[in-house]
Amino acid sequence: MRVMISTRSKEFTAASDIILRGGLVALPTETVYGLAADATNDRAVARIFEAKGRPQFNPLIIHVASMDMVAQHAIISPLAQKLADAFWPGPLTMVLPRRAESPVSLLVSAGLDTIAVRMPKHELARDLIKKVGRPLAAPSANRSGSISPTTADHVKTSLGDKVDFILDGGPCSIGLESTIVLVAGKSVSLLRPGGIDRTAIEKAIGKPLVAPQQADMPLAPGMLKSHYAPRVELRLNQSAPKDGEAFLGFGPTNANGPYALNLSESGDLNEAAANLFAYLRQLDALCAEHGLSAIAAAPIPVTGLGEAINDRLSRAAAPRE
Ligand code: TXA
Ligand code: MG
């Protein structure tokens, strides 16, 4: 794998050139690794879907490095500006009205009149966007339906040579995808729980989030019932594993078998979020290696980032189609 650590290196320039020529670059963000392409290039965006093996063309998030860049593609209401001031750069994605004159590929927003925008905090991601000078479309850098990548190695295992270049920025600090909100008129609704918890958003806007309408939720991988799935069965809210099971613990526990990992021994939900996808992968691999049939997972409180962790776990545990 090609490793990248400095934005002044030749490799960094190579990554930018690959994007400008319509290629795919996996890049680190603070949430998960993204599979990035020039959002204004239809063919490049189509390659993202092909590389991920996505069953349908679901709308993607564009990643930007400045408010000027946002303003070229979306209409920023005062309410959206408030959220941007509070959380950008960072793990918040806003679905905003799309500007008719935006050169972003229609494939990115799946023909909708809205566009999902995020300004990541990770320096490599921001520097690459600035160098390219265009927004980058980037879903998580994994095969459709499988666990999201939080290290460069995960990307390599999941996508192999389907990605032209991998920028290695180390493990992702948050480890869960961004929170997605729809900002429409005077209300904000939560489309996907993620790296920023609902109470922080409600505090920033000074009012409660409203429930999204069915029509605002285009059928998308992160919203499919079965998603983020390990290969073996996952059983939730278990205080201990049964014989022949691996265990995903949380908080102080005596259930420390040979196949156990603890998301956070101290019960810290941020630490648990950062470890979630990597530990699911490790336990899945242990199950394959030792012929275990399932992963039992400890209950996780639903406060703070616990809402997003429980959301991902319940999708990973859902019956497969
Ligand atoms: O943390 C993240 O958000 C990561 C990193 C790489 O930035 N990206 C990510 O992208 O999770 P992806 O493609 O897996 O998720 C995109 C989500 C989908 O669930 C999709 O439904 C929603 O964004 N989305 C995109 N455009 C939308 C729109 N116009 N209206 C409603 N939802 C939209
Ligand atoms: Mg994903």
Side-chain angles (χ1 to χ4, degrees):
M1 186 194 340
R2 282 174 275 187
V3 171
M4 225 310 301
I5 34 169
S6 157
T7 59
R8 286 188 297 275
S9 66
K10 263 197 240 134
E11 285 89 345
F12 191 72
T13 307
S16 160
D17 289 347
I18 286 171
I19 298 248
L20 286 168
R21 287 201 303 265
L24 301 182
V25 170
L27 89 169
T29 82
E30 67 279 18
T31 58
V32 299
Y33 275 73
L35 182 61
D38 173 358
T40 66
N41 179 333
D42 290 314
R43 305 260 320 246
V45 174
R47 283 193 62 204
I48 292 181
F49 291 101
E50 184 195 31
K52 283 184 65 85
R54 271 206 179 167
Q56 309 123 331
F57 289 154
N58 309 107
L60 304 175
I61 297 168
I62 63 164
H63 296 68
V64 296
S66 69
M67 286 310 284
D68 280 352
M69 212 185 239
V70 183
Q72 289 169 34
H73 308 286
I75 296 165
I76 310 159
S77 67
L79 188 55
Q81 184 65 52
K82 209 181 240 184
L83 285 165
D85 291 342
F87 300 113
W88 278 355
L92 179 76
T93 295
M94 282 196 257
V95 175
L96 301 172
R98 181 185 162 122
R99 280 201 187 279
E101 65 274 25
S102 163
V104 164
S105 163
L106 291 177
L107 197 49
V108 166
S109 43
L112 299 164
D113 53 12
T114 51
I115 189 162
V117 189
R118 167 159 123 76
M119 191 185 293
K121 192 168 194 160
H122 199 292
E123 227 183 306
L124 277 185
R126 293 165 61 76
D127 287 346
L128 185 65
I129 299 162
K130 281 191 220 150
K131 189 155 177 91
V132 170
R134 298 179 193 169
L136 301 181
S140 52
N142 55 281
R143 296 281 298 172
S144 184
S146 62
I147 301 166
S148 298
T150 54
T151 65
D153 228 37
H154 294 163
V155 177
K156 196 181 173 210
T157 312
S158 199
L159 292 176
D161 57 12
K162 293 201 178 300
V163 50
D164 300 311
F165 201 102
I166 300 173
L167 288 181
D168 189 347
C172 301
S173 60
I174 294 174
L176 278 178
E177 292 87 347
S178 60
T179 299
I180 304 180
V181 292
L182 171 71
V183 185
K186 299 223 173 310
S187 59
V188 181
S189 51
L190 183 66
L191 299 185
R192 177 179 76 182
I196 293 176
D197 72 68
R198 84 164 51 229
T199 50
I201 296 172
E202 291 178 334
K203 203 171 147 206
I205 58 175
K207 58 186 167 192
L209 290 164
V210 300
Q213 309 277 308
Q214 204 56 42
D216 296 332
M217 314 254 291
L219 188 61
M223 293 165 193
L224 291 177
K225 239 180 156 220
S226 165
H227 199 65
Y228 307 103
R231 281 162 300 188
V232 299
E233 191 196 343
L234 177 66
R235 298 191 314 112
L236 304 183
N237 299 313
Q238 304 299 311
S239 51
K242 290 185 195 159
D243 275 351
E245 284 186 344
F247 187 59
L248 184 68
F250 176 81
T253 171
N254 296 323
N256 290 324
Y259 311 119
L261 289 175
N262 197 316
L263 288 170
S264 169
E265 274 167 28
S266 65
D268 176 339
L269 288 164
N270 293 39
E271 182 185 11
N275 288 331
L276 179 67
F277 291 139
Y279 284 10
L280 279 173
R281 269 167 204 276
Q282 282 182 40
L283 292 177
D284 204 20
L286 273 178
C287 287
E289 193 181 329
H290 300 280
L292 309 177
S293 61
I295 301 168
I300 313 280
V302 200
T303 51
L305 285 194
E307 182 179 8
I309 297 173
N310 277 290
D311 172 77
R312 303 302 189 276
L313 280 174
S314 64
R315 289 177 208 276
R320 317 289 154 80
E321 275 109 65

